[in-house]
Amino acid sequence: MDLKLLHTEKAPAAVGPYSQGVQVGDLVFTSGQLPADPGTGELKTEIKEATKQSLENVKAILEEAGTTMDKVVKVMIFVKNMDDFADVNEVYGEYFSDHKPARACVEVAALPKGAVVEIEAIALK
């Protein structure tokens, strides 16, 4: 099995002992992406800005693996407050308009660094 650990400066560094992403054959798995600016480390706290930043971080990891958002097959979204669901969907729809991967969105009690959202994806190469 061909396993490749992914790393890009265009996404924030991992906040624990894990990789930004892993490629196994033609599958790419991103780790959950907090809404942190990769240059400054600043965490976005407004839900629309946070969702956009998390998706941009996912996108950067996918691009590092040589794939794109239109090859995403599954997305997991973790939100601190399900009342933000409509705002998350609004931004998410800008990234996945025609192509609609399978998805789950769950409310969690807390996220690392007090983030309001975390997003991970699985894509084809």
Side-chain angles (χ1 to χ4, degrees):
M1 182 181 306
D2 186 28
L3 177 92
K4 179 181 176 187
L5 302 180
L6 302 171
H7 175 76
T8 177
E9 297 297 322
K10 295 178 181 177
V15 297
Y18 58 88
S19 300
Q20 290 173 322
V22 176
Q23 180 180 335
V24 181
D26 288 336
L27 288 174
V28 178
F29 301 82
T30 73
S31 291
Q33 294 301 299
L34 298 175
D37 181 291
T40 65
E42 175 192 353
L43 204 64
K44 308 288 186 190
T45 57
E46 191 279 320
I47 192 61
K48 287 183 182 181
E49 288 180 8
T51 301
K52 179 179 170 102
Q53 185 65 64
S54 288
L55 286 166
E56 285 295 319
N57 295 342
V58 165
K59 182 178 173 186
I61 296 165
L62 294 177
E63 288 174 351
E64 179 67 21
T67 191
T68 59
M69 296 291 270
D70 65 344
K71 299 272 182 114
V72 171
V73 296
K74 171 75 175 178
V75 177
M76 278 291 300
I77 302 173
F78 306 93
V79 292
K80 187 146 187 229
N81 186 342
M82 195 55 81
D83 290 342
D84 291 332
F85 187 72
D87 289 335
V88 168
N89 278 339
E90 181 180 326
V91 176
Y92 181 90
E94 295 170 11
Y95 288 81
F96 300 105
S97 56
D98 295 329
H99 169 68
K100 293 181 176 36
R103 188 184 93 172
C105 182
V106 296
E107 182 180 79
V108 295
L111 289 165
K113 296 188 169 190
V116 296
V117 68
E118 181 175 352
I119 301 174
E120 66 180 54
I122 302 170
L124 297 173
K125 180 94 163 86

